Amino acid sequence: MDLQNFIAMGKYGAYIWPCYGLTFVVLVWLAWSARRGLREQILHARRRAQAQQETSS
Amino acid sequence: MWLWFHKLGSPPYAYRIAGLCRPWLFWPAVILLLIGTYGGLVLAPPDYQQGDVFRIIYVHVPPAIMSLYVYVIMAVASAIGLIWRMKLAHAVAAACAPIGAWFTALTLAIGSIWAKPTWGTWWEWEPRLTSELIQLFLYLAYMALRASFDDMQRADRASAILAIVTVVNVPIVKFSVEWMNSLHQGSTIANAAIHITMGWPLAVLIFGTMFFFGAVLCDRLRAEILRRERNAAWLREFV
């Protein structure tokens, strides 16, 4: 099987590749946005903990 | 069992467990998704009726399953949250919603791209497509309802009732292809209508997507716990 045939996918390459591309983009976005959200919350929590320590000491 | 249930219900414990589980879900997911994609695009033979365009099924069925599965998890978690007043269960439901919404939107978009060469139209107002679109609106309604409350407890209760009542749409989506005269083809898996050479990549991708969902949920749940427990003393040890 050569590369050109593989990319053409019969005559359906124009439909198949956008589907796989879209899936890839959405999965990366889901993983990345969840990580980013968690990191933000950890930073928030750290800052609050520091502020509390400073006021108590 | 009950002791374990109680323990898992405590935010610090759940926060730690979710953090420990995450890599054990994420990396297997990546491996399964890569293997499944290679199998679907390269190893599986073309369909005798649809030709190569059937390969879209590999990225359509897994998110479609998740679009229903995630909503069931939300409804069950919401019920646990209401009945046992378990705050963590509400946090799980809230963390699930955006993931489910993305899976549903992806299902609709990919189905639409597949429908164009196969049915000759991007969209048809038929039972399966319409009920899946309603499913997307339910996720969005759930998130909008949560966002409309300042008080977390009221948001939990109202959105939990919404999830429990509207989970009735899940069987409607699932069985729309059997109960109603639908343009959409019947279930590939339930009817065992797929040969093993085409079926194994699909099975691998379904499991991969479930693992992936678990990994994303771990991160989202931890963020949700931190948001809810911002004034708790235990946080200082963890961050």
Side-chain angles (χ1 to χ4, degrees):
Chain A
M1 186 183 61
D2 61 303
L3 190 66
Q4 220 164 10
N5 274 343
F6 179 65
I7 290 170
M9 281 282 163
K11 51 188 195 296
Y12 298 114
Y15 298 103
I16 294 173
W17 294 114
C19 286
Y20 279 79
L22 198 63
T23 304
F24 181 75
V25 169
V26 169
L27 291 188
V28 169
W29 160 255
L30 276 174
W32 179 79
S33 63
R35 281 262 104 165
R36 195 197 50 178
L38 176 58
R39 226 170 281 141
E40 265 170 27
Q41 289 301 326
I42 290 175
L43 277 179
H44 270 295
R46 237 178 240 156
R47 251 179 253 138
R48 287 176 79 94
Q50 269 172 359
Q52 274 172 354
Q53 236 167 18
E54 275 162 29
T55 48
S56 61
S57 62
Chain B
M1 166 76 190
W2 280 105
L3 189 71
W4 172 82
F5 196 64
H6 257 296
K7 224 173 152 189
L8 200 67
S10 93
Y13 187 74
Y15 183 83
R16 207 159 45 97
I17 292 293
L20 287 176
C21 287
R22 198 255 179 199
W24 294 98
L25 294 166
F26 184 77
W27 294 111
V30 170
I31 293 166
L32 286 174
L33 290 177
L34 287 175
I35 294 173
T37 306
Y38 181 74
L41 282 176
V42 182
L43 300 180
D47 186 68
Y48 82 103
Q49 274 184 329
Q50 294 188 10
D52 278 310
V53 79
F54 99 96
R55 295 182 197 281
I56 290 177
I57 208 176
Y58 295 117
V59 283
H60 177 65
V61 170
I65 289 176
M66 297 312 289
S67 73
L68 303 181
Y69 177 69
V70 173
Y71 210 76
V72 172
I73 295 177
M74 281 167 63
V76 171
S78 297
I80 292 173
L82 279 186
I83 296 166
W84 285 290
R85 302 192 168 262
M86 191 183 190
K87 275 188 283 176
L88 186 76
H90 288 301
V92 170
C96 279
I99 316 175
W102 275 107
F103 278 129
T104 313
L106 186 64
T107 305
L108 287 166
I110 287 178
S112 181
I113 298 174
W114 174 86
K116 184 61 185 161
T118 316
W119 297 343
T121 176
W122 298 104
W123 185 263
E124 193 61 48
W125 290 103
E126 61 89 59
R128 177 49 84 74
L129 275 61
T130 310
S131 55
E132 181 72 358
L133 183 64
I134 291 171
Q135 190 59 47
L136 176 62
F137 291 154
L138 290 179
Y139 279 112
L140 299 180
Y142 177 93
M143 291 191 283
L145 183 65
R146 287 201 68 87
S148 68
F149 287 98
D150 285 328
D151 179 37
M152 187 71 90
Q153 273 192 335
R154 294 180 69 186
D156 283 346
R157 234 173 297 149
S159 61
I161 291 168
L162 178 76
I164 292 166
V165 172
T166 55
V167 78
V168 71
N169 192 53
V170 169
I172 293 177
V173 176
K174 173 82 181 73
F175 295 110
S176 57
V177 287
E178 289 164 34
W179 294 343
M180 291 171 249
N181 189 9
S182 175
L183 183 60
H184 193 284
Q185 64 197 55
S187 169
T188 307
I189 300 160
N191 302 337
I194 191 164
H195 191 259
I196 183 78
T197 50
M198 291 168 151
W200 75 261
L202 186 59
V204 169
L205 285 170
I206 290 169
F207 280 112
T209 310
M210 285 179 175
F211 275 80
F212 181 84
F213 162 73
V216 175
L217 180 61
C218 282
D219 276 351
R220 282 197 170 271
L221 179 62
R222 294 179 90 200
E224 185 70 28
I225 291 173
L226 289 180
R227 205 172 298 130
R228 284 159 183 259
E229 301 281 314
R230 51 176 67 153
N231 295 320
W234 67 267
L235 266 189
R236 264 174 262 170
E237 296 167 40
F238 277 81
V239 293

